[in-house]
Amino acid sequence: MKTVQTTPFTDQRPGTSGLRKKTRVFMQPHYLENFVQAVFNTVREFTGSGFGSETLVVGGDGRFYNRAATQTILRMAAANGFRRLLVGRDSLLSTPAVSAVIRRRGALGGLVLSASHNPGGLDADFGIKYNVRNGGPAPEAITERIYEETLSISEYRTLDHPDLHLEHEGTLLLEKTEVVVIDPLVDYTAVIEELFAFESLRALFAEDFRMQFDAMNAVTGPYAHHILEQLLGAPAGTVINGTPLEDFGGHHPDPNQVNAAELVARMNAPDAPDFGAACDGDGDRNLILGRNFFVTPGDSLAVIAEYAGKCIPGYRNGLAGAARSMPTSTAIDRVAETLGITCYETPTGWKFFGNLMDAGLCTVCGEESFGTGSNHVREKDGLWAVLCWLSILATTRKPVASVVRQHWERFGRSYFQRHDYEGLELTPATQMIAALRDKLPTLPGLPVGGSRIAHADDFSYTDPVDGSTSTRQGLRILLEDGSRIVCRLSGTGTEGATLRLYVERYRRDGGGGVIEEVLAPLVNAGRELLELRERCGREEPTVIT
């Protein structure tokens, strides 16, 4: 073991999903090491003991620098005294799989190496985050303490030791620390098999049901091949782009209609399969498609909640509660009301759902950024959402579009869009949000989008379990007719600033309206309130989802 002297970096504050930077930033001498040591120092402080009896999980999505970073972390974890390290074969573990391994094997926590849906490669993005003992992302109290530690760190511990061979399962020794190379599929598959009726899904595929799953050259490829094609009997070729690549094949591994263009084109073709789906870089986000039909994340969450108790054995006793992030559409709220359960509104960031789940208050939850999940793990889970939809289709024997339209007939439709303005200059974007925040008290009563502003605030959240408070979580403009305009700067990018503008209008019209026409007044009002063109020189979004 050796102690290396270092100096702090000032830019290591974790965002909503850990620390994300350009890959070359992480490759600077001491950069990754400083952050990892800050994590270990903080966790040791919070637990009040050493790591001599503890297990740490390490794995990532296979993007560029994943393998090298894994070796660095293993040496540092051994030098910091962990008894056992569990690492995915070839350094691979999807984000939901890391959560499953932590929970099933009683680990202290895990380090997830991923920038999620961000591009990968030498000139693209890398990321790291710490997940705690419940399998979920570290809460703000820990991430803020990690950041404070990065500002004062002066040394880190590591070993002089060659890289370990991680290509095959087995047990290795790193000084006194046991390093166990595990099959990345086993724990996750075991959790999933406990929830879903695989016999029913096998019967669905046996009836010539056709599906296309796009793994986007990312980590869910091996999981999808194993579960969909091998265990459920989907035909070979159901999974496309199924081999994880360090640069995701040069594509953006974000499962939306723009980046999953190959899948969208296939689902809009005359001979389209019955069902289409995709997952992102680390496997925690999902895209759900029918023939010529896109299911919004908010509608997907609501439909899953509506059918879970009827279609999925793991939820046959009903749902304890539901939750959504504040910007997510309110479709789930109406399902929860019908089911007689509470729906919680939280800030953006999956860590806010963890306390609710641990306290037994929430079973299913989701975010508008294509993330849905349940209390089987403490991360959003893309393949879980896909299997939920397969279960619904196996039970109803109806097309995706019919399932959603039937939902609209029963509950009404939340017309919802997110407009992303990427690559804005950080200073004017920050000033734009600040200016609108200052105007919020003057907005009620103002006519907007065919209605009037009833309320405007900067969303804050008090956790019903531990009483912690999170402020400045997004600007909300609520109209008298129930419509909403929400604005926030994203915390998941690595370059410039991304403005997310969310618009929602609820109607009981059977869902037959043209979404662009229904939402256009709100979109225009949002741009005007932000003074987007004047302050940032932009009118058209980069992506609409």
Side-chain angles (χ1 to χ4, degrees):
M1 195 269 282
K2 67 176 183 179
T3 300
V4 179
Q5 302 303 307
T6 189
T7 55
F9 294 87
T10 60
D11 62 345
Q12 294 192 326
R13 184 193 291 274
T16 53
S17 294
L19 181 66
R20 294 181 186 173
K21 300 289 179 183
K22 290 298 180 183
T23 306
R24 290 185 188 273
V25 172
F26 271 100
M27 294 173 71
Q28 296 176 86
H30 311 304
Y31 193 89
L32 173 65
E33 292 88 341
N34 277 21
F35 187 79
V36 171
Q37 188 64 57
V39 170
F40 292 158
N41 292 350
T42 299
V43 174
R44 189 182 289 111
E45 174 188 318
F46 269 80
T47 59
S49 62
F51 302 138
S53 62
E54 299 289 1
T55 298
L56 180 75
V57 179
V58 182
D61 61 13
R63 68 179 58 231
F64 187 86
Y65 197 54
N66 188 87
R67 293 171 186 264
T70 298
Q71 298 287 350
T72 296
I73 291 167
L74 295 179
R75 285 190 284 265
M76 291 186 65
N80 277 269
F82 277 93
R83 180 176 69 88
R84 177 183 296 159
L85 305 174
L86 302 178
V87 58
R89 186 183 62 240
D90 290 324
S91 305
L92 291 177
L93 276 171
S94 74
T95 292
V98 170
S99 185
V101 173
I102 292 171
R103 294 173 62 81
R104 291 189 82 237
R105 305 209 185 195
L108 172 66
L111 286 168
V112 185
L113 304 178
S114 174
S116 190
H117 56 297
N118 293 10
L122 177 60
D123 294 309
D125 299 342
F126 190 77
I128 181 172
K129 70 174 179 177
Y130 180 69
N131 281 25
V132 294
R133 197 184 290 275
N134 76 347
E140 284 189 326
I142 293 179
T143 57
E144 278 301 300
R145 183 67 191 91
I146 291 170
Y147 175 60
E148 292 171 6
E149 187 70 20
T150 67
L151 297 177
S152 61
I153 195 166
S154 60
E155 61 182 34
Y156 60 84
R157 302 172 194 169
T158 188
L159 299 177
D160 274 324
H161 197 284
D163 286 355
L164 299 176
H165 293 289
L166 305 178
E167 296 81 16
H168 303 284
E169 292 100 80
T171 301
L172 310 166
L173 276 180
L174 191 52
E175 296 292 340
K176 297 180 180 180
T177 298
E178 184 180 60
V179 179
V180 184
V181 182
I182 64 174
D183 184 334
L185 308 178
V186 169
D187 292 271
Y188 178 80
T189 302
V191 171
I192 288 299
E193 285 183 309
E194 293 172 358
L195 293 177
F196 294 96
F198 273 28
E199 325 80 56
S200 173
L201 301 183
R202 278 191 284 267
L204 179 68
F205 283 110
E207 296 175 6
D208 295 325
F209 177 86
R210 293 187 301 140
M211 173 185 178
Q212 191 90 88
F213 178 85
D214 189 349
M216 305 192 85
N217 302 300
V219 77
T220 49
Y223 295 87
H225 279 302
H226 178 61
I227 293 173
L228 297 177
E229 294 182 349
Q230 296 173 18
L231 297 183
L232 298 182
T238 294
V239 179
I240 61 173
N241 301 316
T243 301
L245 301 176
E246 288 191 333
D247 65 348
F248 306 119
H251 300 299
H252 197 309
D254 191 357
N256 58 43
Q257 304 98 300
V258 174
N259 295 320
E262 178 183 1
L263 175 67
V264 171
R266 181 77 183 91
M267 294 305 300
N268 290 341
D271 62 341
D274 302 285
F275 179 53
C279 287
D280 70 330
D282 67 330
D284 63 355
R285 298 175 188 235
N286 69 89
L287 170 66
I288 301 297
L289 299 169
R291 290 189 183 123
N292 291 289
F293 195 87
F294 162 62
V295 184
T296 69
D299 282 341
S300 179
L301 174 61
V303 170
I304 289 171
E306 178 186 2
Y307 282 95
K310 297 176 281 189
C311 300
I312 305 170
Y315 309 108
R316 63 167 61 93
N317 293 327
L319 308 180
R324 62 169 174 84
S325 65
M326 180 273 288
T328 301
S329 89
T330 57
I332 181 65
D333 299 45
R334 290 179 284 278
V335 175
E337 183 179 4
T338 298
L339 294 175
I341 60 176
T342 301
C343 183
Y344 298 89
E345 183 181 38
T346 75
T348 297
W350 208 258
K351 56 194 172 187
F352 293 102
F353 296 136
N355 272 3
L356 299 174
M357 292 179 178
D358 289 346
L361 300 176
C362 170
T363 305
V364 297
C365 50
E367 297 182 336
E368 49 68 37
S369 54
F370 294 80
T372 37
S374 87
N375 59 355
H376 67 291
V377 290
R378 294 297 183 270
E379 289 279 6
K380 55 178 89 82
D381 186 349
L383 267 180
W384 170 87
V386 173
L387 291 167
C388 285
W389 270 94
L390 283 173
S391 301
I392 293 168
L393 300 178
T395 300
T396 63
R397 289 299 199 270
K398 294 178 180 178
V400 172
S402 296
V403 170
V404 176
R405 290 192 175 107
Q406 188 174 58
H407 174 86
W408 290 339
E409 288 286 348
R410 181 181 180 190
F411 294 99
R413 180 181 180 184
S414 279
Y415 291 85
F416 179 91
Q417 282 182 339
R418 186 183 90 188
H419 291 221
D420 286 1
Y421 297 83
E422 299 174 351
L424 302 179
E425 291 185 31
L426 182 58
T427 298
T430 303
Q431 292 172 343
M432 175 178 65
I433 292 293
L436 181 54
R437 180 183 292 114
D438 290 342
K439 289 192 294 187
L440 291 176
T442 69
L443 296 182
L446 189 72
V448 162
S451 182
R452 289 185 179 275
I453 296 177
H455 179 78
D457 66 10
D458 196 344
F459 181 62
S460 63
Y461 174 72
T462 299
D463 191 296
V465 178
D466 63 18
S468 61
T469 300
S470 301
T471 59
R472 294 199 167 189
Q473 295 297 315
L475 309 185
R476 298 190 303 175
I477 299 168
L478 312 180
L479 308 188
E480 291 176 352
D481 69 352
S483 300
R484 300 192 308 156
I485 300 171
V486 174
C487 316
R488 58 182 289 270
L489 294 181
S490 171
T492 60
T494 64
E495 191 171 14
T498 295
L499 168 70
R500 302 205 196 283
L501 173 63
Y502 312 85
V503 289
E504 177 181 10
R505 173 153 276 163
Y506 173 68
R507 285 184 175 175
R508 292 201 67 97
D509 60 359
V514 178
I515 189 168
E516 291 79 10
E517 295 177 1
V518 172
L519 294 178
L522 299 179
V523 172
N524 293 332
R527 292 173 182 169
E528 291 173 6
L529 287 166
L530 284 161
E531 300 175 347
L532 183 58
R533 181 181 58 195
E534 296 81 356
R535 291 180 175 274
C536 293
R538 294 279 289 277
E539 287 194 63
E540 298 304 317
T542 311
V543 180
I544 299 175
T545 53

